[in-house]
C-alpha cells in the first residue's frame, strides 16, 4: 500500500515480484503468476524493459515448474532478448540457469550444458561464487543424467569445495546429495 500511495512503480513492481517468489516457494503457482503479471503490467507501463526481463524469467520458471515447457521457453527467451537488448545485467546468470534447467527437464542435454556454461562463465565474471557452485552442480546433474558419472562427480566435487570455502551449509548438503545419488547410480 505504501508503494501505491507514493506512486513508485519500480519499487511496486519489485514488490510484486518478491511476493510472487514467495508464492513459488510455497508451491502456489496461480498466486505467483498473478503477482508476476501485476509486476509485468507496472514494468510495461513504466517502459522498464529490464524489469520486464526479470519478470519474464520468473514467469518462465513457474511454467517450467508446471511442466508447460513450450510456454516456459517462450517467456525465458523473451527475458533473454530483453536483457541482452537493454542490459546486459547480472540477471543473465539466472536466465541462462533457468533455460538450462528447462532444457535438462526436456532432455535437450547439449543445450542444457551450453546454457549452464554461459551462466557459469557470467557468475565467474561477476565473482558470484554461490552461483559458480550452483552452475557446477547443474552441469554435473546433466552429466549424471547422461550416465557420465566421472564427469558428474568432478563437477559436484568442485561445487562442494567452493561451498565449503564459503561455509554455505545448505549448498554443501546439496552437493553431497548429488554425489551420493551419483555413487548410487554407479
Amino acid at each position: 500500500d505504501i508503494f501505491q500511495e507514493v506512486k513508485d512503480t519500480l519499487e511496486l513492481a519489485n514488490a510484486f515480484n518478491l511476493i510472487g517468489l514467495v508464492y513459488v516457494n510455497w508451491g502456489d503457482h496461480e498466486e505467483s503468476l498473478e503477482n508476476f503479471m501485476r509486476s509485468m503490467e507496472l514494468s510495461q507501463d513504466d517502459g522498464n524493459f529490464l524489469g520486464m526481463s526479470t519478470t519474464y524469467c520468473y514467469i518462465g520458471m513457474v511454467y517450467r515448474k508446471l511442466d508447460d515447457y513450450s510456454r516456459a521457453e517462450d517467456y525465458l527467451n523473451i527475458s533473454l532478448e530483453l536483457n541482452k537488448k537493454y542490459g546486459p545485467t547480472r540477471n543473465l546468470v539466472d536466465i541462462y540457469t533457468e533455460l538450462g534447467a528447462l532444457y535438462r527437464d526436456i532432455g535437450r542435454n547439449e543445450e542444457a550444458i551450453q546454457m549452464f556454461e554461459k551462466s557459469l562463465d557470467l557468475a565467474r565474471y561477476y565473482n558470484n561464487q554461490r552461483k559458480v557452485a550452483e552452475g557446477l552442480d547443474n552441469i554435473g546433474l546433466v552429466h549424471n543424467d547422461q550416465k557420465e558419472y566421472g564427469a558428474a562427480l568432478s563437477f559436484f566435487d568442485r561445487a562442494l569445495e567452493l561451498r565449503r570455502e564459503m561455509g554455505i551449509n545448505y549448498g554443501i548438503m546439496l552437493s553431497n546429495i548429488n554425489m551420493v545419488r551419483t555413487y548410487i547410480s554407479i
Side-chain angles (χ1 to χ4, degrees):
D1 291 336
I2 294 172
F3 295 123
Q4 291 172 324
E5 289 175 19
V6 295
K7 306 288 189 231
D8 190 337
T9 55
L10 177 63
E11 289 302 318
L12 186 57
N14 287 337
F16 281 123
N17 275 338
L18 291 173
I19 293 166
L21 289 172
V22 169
Y23 281 110
V24 168
N25 288 331
W26 289 346
D28 188 340
H29 301 305
E30 185 177 320
E31 194 66 36
S32 67
L33 285 173
E34 186 176 310
N35 280 279
F36 293 145
M37 292 303 180
R38 290 173 80 183
S39 175
M40 182 63 68
E41 289 172 19
L42 291 166
S43 294
Q44 287 173 335
D45 291 347
D46 217 22
N48 179 358
F49 295 104
L50 292 177
M52 290 168 51
S53 172
T54 299
T55 306
Y56 275 116
C57 182
Y58 293 154
I59 294 169
M61 173 186 62
V62 171
Y63 281 120
R64 183 178 68 82
K65 289 178 181 288
L66 293 170
D67 299 332
D68 190 341
Y69 301 120
S70 176
R71 200 181 263 179
E73 187 173 22
D74 289 344
Y75 277 100
L76 291 169
N77 281 321
I78 292 168
S79 173
L80 180 63
E81 291 310 311
L82 283 170
N83 197 288
K84 284 181 174 179
K85 186 174 181 179
Y86 297 100
T89 69
R90 293 172 190 245
N91 291 350
L92 279 175
V93 174
D94 295 325
I95 297 167
Y96 284 129
T97 296
E98 279 301 319
L99 278 165
L102 168 71
Y103 293 144
R104 179 175 173 247
D105 287 349
I106 59 178
R108 290 166 50 184
N109 292 327
E110 291 307 313
E111 289 170 279
I113 288 177
Q114 288 172 4
M115 292 298 112
F116 289 141
E117 285 176 345
K118 287 181 180 187
S119 175
L120 182 59
D121 288 344
L122 285 168
R124 286 180 174 136
Y125 175 79
Y126 290 119
N127 197 30
N128 186 333
Q129 298 303 306
R130 187 179 64 78
K131 294 287 185 175
V132 169
E134 182 182 317
L136 292 168
D137 260 347
N138 283 327
I139 293 170
L141 289 169
V142 176
H143 284 294
N144 192 57
D145 293 346
Q146 295 176 315
K147 298 183 182 358
E148 298 166 352
Y149 301 123
L153 288 170
S154 174
F155 281 98
F156 296 148
D157 188 53
R158 289 170 30 209
L160 178 61
E161 185 178 319
L162 266 178
R163 288 173 167 151
R164 281 185 178 146
E165 288 173 12
M166 293 181 292
I168 301 174
N169 292 331
Y170 179 74
I172 291 169
M173 180 187 68
L174 287 178
S175 292
N176 280 316
I177 289 170
N178 288 335
M179 292 178 88
V180 167
R181 286 182 180 156
T182 301
Y183 282 118
I184 289 170
S185 296
I186 291 172

